[in-house]
Amino acid sequence: MQDLVPKEYKERNSLVINPVKTCQPIGAMYAALGIHGALPHSHGSQGCCSYHRMHLTKHFREPVVASSSSFTEGASVFGGRANLETALKNIFAVYDPEVVAINTTCLSETIGDDIGSIINGFDVPAGKTIIHASTPSYVGSHITGFSNMVKAVIKQVSEKNEDAKTNNKINLIPGFVDPGDIREIKRILEAMGIDYILFPDQSDVLDTPLDGSYDMYPEGGVTIPELKDTGNSQATIALGEFAASDPAFELEKKHDVKPYTLKSPVGIKATDEFLMQLMKLTGKEVPAEIEKERGQLVDIIADTHHQFHGKKVAVYGDPDIVISLTEFVLSLGMKPVHILTGTPDKKFEETVAEMMESADWKYNLTAGGDLFQLHQWIKNDQVDLLLGNSYGKLVAKQEDVPLVRVGFPILDRSVHSYLPTIGYKGAILLVEKISGALLDRKDRDTDFELIEFVL
Amino acid sequence: MKNNNAGIEDVLDEVLQSYPAKSMKNRKEHMLIKDQKKGKHKIKANTRTIPGIITNRGCAYAGCRGVVLGPLKDVVQLVHGPIGCSYYAWGMRRHQGVAAEGGKNFINYTFSTDMQDSDVVFGGERKLKEAIKEAVEIFNPSTIMITATCPVGLIGDDINSIARQAEAEYGITVMAFNCEGYKGVSQSAGHHIANNEIMANLVGIEDKELDYKYPINLMGEYNIGGDAFEIERILEKIGYDIVASFSGNGTADQIKYSHEADLNLVQCHRSINYIAEMFEEKYGIPWLKVNFLGVDATIKALRNMAEYFDDPELKERTEKVIAEELAQIEGPLNRYKELFEGKTAFLFVGGSRAHHYQNVFKRIGIETVVAGYEFGHRDDYEGREVIPDIEMTADDRNIPELEVTKDDKKYNMRISKAKKEELQQKMPLDYYEGMIKEMEDGSIVIDDLNHHEHIKLTEALEPDIFCSGIKDKYTSHKMGIFSKQLHSYDYSGPYAGFKGHLQFAEDIAAGILNPSWSYINPPWKDNVELAGTIGGVR
């Protein structure tokens, strides 16, 4: 039970209770899984690697394979060079990946292992690639780790042709989103007739069919030749300031590919902005098919506005998705009153505050908060709906508030990773979920005598 | 393939082929084929993981905070480290706990100092002290346990002296566990570290007059999916009183006076045998190896317990409860046995269940063809008699051994030496026989199984069920083989005791008989008559 959460606030500066974030390497592991033929490798003690694999597996219900340097106490004191070299030898001999994508943990970061120099001294088999990202767990969150791995990919793999010819493509970094979202982004790009390089791409990696055979390196993932080619693209669109923006700027620094950071395209406004940016960059039209979906979404919102109007919502989770969800619930006529991310970055607060400028109600907003804090906020100002990951169910149950699961991780429901949250299609699905949750609650709380068939 | 050891040897050789020479030599020593003719079997276990091999193992922190300490429901488990370690130990292991009357239950919470880079640079001691203060102010717990994570040992934060200071300052129990993830070679080191601290600083710190007739401690049972609830139900029905549980549905407050029990029951030998041994040394309480997984093993355990207390009334009551419980489940269990007869299972679980579930499967007609532990030691495979022969490695030497001596005031030999020797002829008192003895000839024993070996052995042996954890469950499914998690029970349970065995059989049936497996091949793949001409393509 969550009955030990008091209503009265007491100052907390050092104790985190029930976090709304986890640590960097899992984000890096997830990013690495979006590269074709890649084996993520965790340079630290093996507990981290097991935890990260387990957690991703629970969210996707798919195999998540990664290796570890398996530090012992000796390595922790004298450095992990020998462990990493042995690991790489075993990995290439036994598992034969095309790419090894190394992340670090708080252990190897604290002792200061220089991964770059260890790899430089390693005889990499022909045709194979090793990528390494520094992902200290005591900085930022899993979102930072995702961003750091994608940035490392740009830094270490992207190239530019000498003759400076562009490939006429757009680079697209989708951020920390599910395969279902990535499929939706690709569908939109293809419908518009845009050539693109999307990375990392976990579709066909973490949503593979069951056909009786197991493939350790499924067909999905962005390829190394594609990643090299990102330096020749015309622009980079980063979906999500926190997960995707840094790598896009890195590519500008390295190869002068212009970066455009957009909000994660969740909801009508953010999707509009995404499409407008694509049009602006490519001169391509939004096809009738997509425009129709937008109209359907508006139709649905207008038809059901009475279900949402004035309802108070608490939104929590990773910064990019929380920003877009906040904007979306505003566009449904709802009132976000508690908005929280665990990723400690003040830019999040600035962005949301700007969005909330016209709000005529009081609201709580923080970056670097935890679920205990959110729970206390709710105790002091009740809400009609919770919007966030699976962990919110503790608060939802204790306070008897419906929860719509969106974001990462979702451990107690299935199918979510196959369906988009992104785009007009994703927004329609979100409306269906939010509306369903609110109406289920209304039905539950309505006396038999007053039950309605039409709502 | 059973009883055809030559064929199985070829399978193992094939598995080893892919390894570089050094890894091949290493892995070879971690696998064997059961062969009764050979008599004793020797396996290599509890040694370093080969880097890059894709092990299933976790770390010492997981073994300490995640396994042994986590289930103690009245404790604030304060993890000193960056956020991940605390986050991943939150609600992921299904140790259930119901608050004791008037007591607090912290199981749904996770507590962290959320170490930042400045804490790594300047030390995290100030933050840890402040976090303790905040926890005390908000929750006023009776016990706080501080667990260390990887960077803590490296930067030299002295969590032990902080715990002592806090204990004095707040008048509550505050304990520190140096279970940095890199200690030892697996979760096992964490068990040992947890055992040492609990024995040294928690057991026996309070005395309590107990009006119990048959007081026992339940050890190495973590109440996954409610297993301990079912065990408690049976034991209480017979008339036993559980003084303390180490640690499923347990409290630190009870452990404080757990030395008042007359018998310790050991379910998971690996994780708690240290405490069981030390109890006998210090307080004169023997331990009995029990297994409450599977009806046959449960009945054996209950009869051994009754024999230990040697009370005709208790024996009678035991038989009555066994008969009552069996009457409710025997029919359905026998039907499941008919249904499953001849099927095979591949078991790879932490340090105890790969053995304990073999009788569960056997009772419902399923034969175990491969079994292995992530982090068992040789005694868990071969029996405790090999303990004197186990060689210490450099990694073991870093785990402190706690020396306990007879407690002059509290020591009380529960049974005479002669009586104990007599009982030892009949039951595993102060003894565990290990996994291998119970296995059938021709079955494979494998230690620290990795991803490659999982796939190769599955392809060669084609078991009907693969039982392991979440990391390889879906790999198995992609191969078309049902995988049952024996850590999390796939969010079901309890599986222990009488009712648990039936629940388990039902879940296995649900998995094996699910229609999905029959849909793996699309019908058009082997239907040659699909040759329409509409649309004019042909």
Side-chain angles (χ1 to χ4, degrees), chain A residues 73-88:
Chain A
E73 187 152 12
S76 307
V77 177
F78 301 111
R81 173 183 283 269
N83 287 58
L84 185 53
E85 286 171 350
T86 309
L88 290 170

Side-chain angles (χ1 to χ4, degrees), chain A residues 1-6 10-23 26 39 41 45-55 57-58 60-74 76-77 82-84 86-91 93-95 105-108 110-111 137-142 207-216 344 371-372 376 389 391 394 408-409 411 418, chain B residues 18-20 22-23 48-59 61-63 66 76 78 82-93 104-106 108-118 120 126-128 130-132 134-135 137-139 149-151 154-155 181-187 395 398-399 450-453 455 459 470-472 474-480 485 491 517 519-521:
Chain A
M1 297 224 303
Q2 293 304 99
D3 54 352
L4 300 174
V5 179
K10 267 204 175 97
E11 207 185 332
R12 275 188 297 134
N13 294 311
S14 299
L15 181 67
V16 167
I17 312 166
N18 297 359
V20 185
K21 65 169 179 184
T22 181
C23 61
I26 191 174
L39 182 70
H41 180 84
S45 57
Q46 68 211 10
C48 313
C49 185
S50 276
Y51 273 142
H52 298 145
R53 289 178 63 198
M54 285 158 81
H55 208 65
T57 301
K58 285 169 182 166
F60 295 104
R61 297 179 200 247
E62 288 286 312
V64 171
V65 182
S67 55
S68 166
S69 293
S70 293
F71 273 52
T72 57
E73 187 152 12
S76 307
V77 177
N83 287 58
L84 185 53
T86 309
L88 290 170
K89 273 182 210 151
N90 281 313
I91 288 166
V94 184
Y95 295 109
T105 68
C106 47
L107 176 54
S108 53
T110 304
I111 63 178
S137 309
Y138 42 75
V139 176
S141 74
H142 56 298
D207 57 359
T208 63
L210 200 169
D211 59 9
S213 67
Y214 167 67
D215 191 354
M216 189 168 161
L371 267 177
F372 186 85
Q376 288 198 307
N389 64 28
Y391 293 106
L394 297 168
F408 177 86
L411 310 165
Y418 294 83
Chain B
S18 315
Y19 292 124
K22 213 173 144 190
S23 300
R48 281 183 190 180
T49 313
I50 301 173
I53 208 77
I54 314 192
T55 179
N56 273 293
R57 284 174 166 179
C59 65
Y61 160 82
V76 165
L78 179 53
I83 201 69
C85 304
S86 163
Y87 175 89
Y88 298 112
W90 177 27
M92 292 296 113
R93 209 163 167 274
K104 295 187 174 96
N105 185 356
F106 292 104
N108 283 341
Y109 303 78
T110 198
F111 303 91
S112 172
T113 54
D114 188 19
M115 212 176 237
Q116 299 297 304
D117 44 359
S118 59
V120 172
R126 185 201 53 79
K127 199 170 190 190
L128 176 59
E130 208 171 76
I132 295 170
E134 290 168 4
E137 284 172 358
I138 298 170
F139 300 103
T149 60
C150 286
L154 301 175
I155 63 174
Y182 53 75
K183 296 242 170 104
V185 299
S186 68
Q187 290 93 314
D395 301 309
N398 296 327
I399 315 300
N450 58 51
H451 192 63
H452 163 74
E453 290 163 356
I455 294 163
E459 282 171 351
I470 187 75
K471 292 195 294 293
D472 36 26
Y474 300 108
T475 300
S476 181
H477 280 190
K478 298 286 180 200
M479 297 168 94
Q485 292 185 63
Y491 329 109
W517 308 112
Y519 293 120
I520 290 176
N521 290 316

